Amino acid sequence: MVDLPYESLLGVSYGLLAGTGPAVLFGLIAAGVGLARDRSVPAATGLFAAAIAAAIVVFGGVHGSGPVLAQAIRLAFVGVIAGVLGVFATSQGARIATALPQDRTFPIVRGQALSADAIDAVDAMGQVTIRPTGAIRELDGYPPLSPALRTALENGAWRFPADLQLAELEDRLERRLRTDHGLATVRVAVDGRGRATIAAAPPSKGVATTLADGFRAVTVTGLLPTGLEPGDRVLISGDETTVEGTALAIDDETQDATDHEFVAPAADTQRAAIGTDGGDRRLTVAVETAAADTLLESTHHRIAVQPSDDATHNHALEAATILDNAGRPITVRDTALAELDPATTIGVRTAEDWHWQHSADDPVPHGADRAFVAGSPQPDCEERRSQSQSNSQSQLQSTSQSQPQPQLEVNR
C-alpha cells in the first residue's frame, strides 16, 4: 500500500533541494543572453531544470528505497517542482535583461539658452551683448551703492559667447562684475532675451578686511616717527610690555597693508621722503589677539619703526649698481677652485649651500662649482672714461685759448 501524502511530501522536498540550483543557473543564462545578444530566451527553456533535478535525485541516491510506484511518485513531484522553478527563473532573467538599459552613455542635460530674438543680435564673432535692465537693486544688509558705481553698472554692456546657457552667462557676468568693480557680492539673473537684472553691494574696504585670522586692530596715541606709513612694522612699548604690529591707518589715512609697496629713498638723502609728517597722532595697528588687551590697558605708548626686510635687498642692489658703474659688474661664473680669486669673489656655491665672502682674507670653500665674481674693468667702461677725460681736457684747452693771456714784464 503506497502512502500518497507521504510520498508527495518527499517529492516536493527533493524537488526544492535538487531544483533550486538548476533553476538559478537557467535564470542567469537567460539574463546573460539577453544582455549580450539582445535576445529573449523562451521561458520553456527552464523545463530542462526538471530533467537535471531528476538526474541529481536518481544518481545521487537520495530518492530512498521502496516500491517502484512510490519512487515514481517522488520523481514526478521532483520534476514538477524543478520545472516550475526553472520556468520562473528563466522568465525573471529575461525580464531583468529587458529592463536594464542597453545604452551605457549618459544623457546630456541641457539648460535654458538664449531665445531666437537674442541670437539674431549675435555679432560676427559669435558673441552676444548682455545689458542691464531696470535699476540696479540693493542687497539687504549692505550699504547702498555710490552714484558713480550705480551709473557705471546701469550703462555697462558685456559680451559673452552666444551658445552658453543662461546659468553659465549669469555666473560669468557675476565674476566679471566682481573683478571689474570689486563688488562685495553680486547677484545676476539673465532672461532669454539677454537682459540682466543686477543686485549688487559696494566694495568693502574697512579695516576688518585687512586683518588675518588671530589678529585685532587697536588704535593707540603716541609720538609717531616722521615718514611712518601704513604697512610699516612697528614696536609699541606700553606700561609693562612691548608689542609688535603692523600699521594700518594713521588718523584718517587708511591703506591696505597687503597692497603696500616699499619705496626706497633717494641716494642723496637719509630721511624718509614718504609717509606721515609725524608728531603726536593716533595710529591703528594690527596685533595678535593676545596682545590687544595689553595695549588697551596701557596709558602711555612709545612707537618705534622696525627696519624693513627690503632695505637689505636695496643695499645689495645699490652695491651691485656701484660696482657696475665702476666697470666691475658682478657675473656668475662656472669655474674650478683654482680659478677663483678671493679678492674679487663675492660668494661661491658648494654642494651644501651658498657661502658669502665678507672679506678679501676669507678662504674660498672647497668644492665650489659656481661663484659670484666682481669682474675686471670692462673695455667699454675704460673707453668711456678715457673719452670723458679727453673731452674735459679739450674743454679746458678751448677755455684757456679763448681767454686772453696775461703779459709778463721783466725788469732788467
Side-chain angles (χ1 to χ4, degrees):
M1 186 70 181
V2 177
D3 190 357
L4 183 61
Y6 176 74
E7 298 297 338
S8 302
L9 183 59
L10 286 179
V12 171
S13 301
Y14 291 156
L16 293 175
L17 291 176
T20 302
V24 172
L25 178 61
F26 277 96
L28 293 176
I29 293 174
V33 171
L35 291 174
R37 297 296 183 88
D38 197 15
R39 291 183 179 182
S40 179
V41 178
T45 308
L47 294 176
F48 288 99
I52 297 176
I56 293 175
V57 170
V58 173
F59 296 102
V62 296
H63 61 282
S65 58
V68 177
L69 181 59
Q71 294 183 8
I73 294 175
R74 296 175 193 173
L75 291 178
F77 275 95
V78 167
V80 172
I81 297 300
V84 172
L85 292 177
V87 171
F88 177 76
T90 304
S91 62
Q92 291 299 316
R95 186 182 66 83
I96 292 174
T98 304
L100 290 178
Q102 300 295 328
D103 189 5
R104 299 296 187 270
T105 58
F106 295 96
I108 299 177
V109 180
R110 298 185 179 275
Q112 186 179 0
L114 294 173
S115 62
D117 297 337
I119 295 178
D120 292 340
V122 176
D123 57 10
M125 301 298 294
Q127 293 188 341
V128 64
T129 301
I130 305 298
R131 301 181 184 274
T133 177
I136 304 300
R137 303 179 181 179
E138 299 178 356
L139 294 175
D140 296 336
Y142 291 91
L145 297 173
S146 62
L149 180 58
R150 184 183 299 274
T151 303
L153 293 178
E154 291 177 351
N155 298 332
W158 305 272
R159 299 174 61 194
F160 297 100
D163 56 350
L164 295 178
Q165 302 177 12
L166 295 183
E168 182 64 21
L169 287 174
E170 294 171 355
D171 293 340
R172 293 196 180 188
L173 183 54
E174 290 179 359
R175 292 196 297 267
R176 178 78 62 84
L177 293 177
R178 288 194 186 97
T179 303
D180 295 345
H181 302 283
L183 301 176
T185 182
V186 60
R187 298 174 184 173
V188 177
V190 180
D191 59 10
R193 301 180 62 181
R195 299 176 300 181
T197 302
I198 302 175
S204 177
K205 293 185 178 180
V207 176
T209 60
T210 65
L211 295 176
D213 294 337
F215 285 82
R216 296 294 183 268
V218 178
T219 300
V220 297
T221 302
L223 186 62
L224 304 185
T226 301
L228 177 65
E229 67 173 6
D232 290 343
R233 295 185 304 163
V234 296
L235 288 177
I236 304 175
S237 300
D239 297 337
E240 299 179 354
T241 183
T242 301
V243 178
E244 180 180 355
T246 303
L248 295 178
I250 303 171
D251 285 347
D252 296 334
E253 301 174 5
T254 305
Q255 181 175 345
D256 189 350
T258 58
D259 295 338
H260 170 70
E261 295 182 359
F262 179 81
V263 180
D268 57 349
T269 181
Q270 297 297 329
R271 67 179 182 86
I274 57 176
T276 182
D277 294 335
D280 193 4
R281 304 174 66 177
R282 292 179 301 172
L283 173 66
T284 302
V285 293
V287 297
E288 296 182 355
T289 305
D293 294 337
T294 304
L295 287 181
L296 293 176
E297 294 174 356
S298 301
T299 57
H300 301 282
H301 305 93
R302 292 185 300 175
I303 303 171
V305 180
Q306 290 184 291
S308 174
D309 294 337
D310 295 335
T312 304
H313 302 294
N314 292 336
H315 293 328
L317 293 176
E318 182 180 0
T321 303
I322 292 174
L323 289 174
D324 191 11
N325 293 335
R328 305 181 68 91
I330 298 177
T331 59
V332 180
R333 182 182 302 173
D334 294 327
T335 179
L337 181 60
E339 301 179 5
L340 296 179
D341 184 7
T344 60
T345 301
I346 300 175
V348 296
R349 186 186 69 178
T350 61
E352 300 176 356
D353 200 358
W354 280 94
H355 300 272
W356 304 104
Q357 303 293 110
H358 300 285
S359 175
D361 299 332
D362 293 343
V364 179
H366 295 280
D369 58 352
R370 179 169 293 185
F372 282 109
V373 179
S376 58
Q378 301 296 323
D380 55 348
C381 295
E382 294 293 338
E383 183 179 354
R384 289 197 303 266
R385 186 178 305 172
S386 61
Q387 184 178 358
S388 61
Q389 292 178 357
S390 61
N391 292 336
S392 60
Q393 291 178 0
S394 61
Q395 291 178 0
L396 290 175
Q397 293 177 0
S398 61
T399 303
S400 61
Q401 292 176 0
S402 61
Q403 295 179 354
Q405 299 295 331
Q407 301 295 332
L408 297 179
E409 295 182 358
V410 180
N411 296 326
R412 294 181 180 180

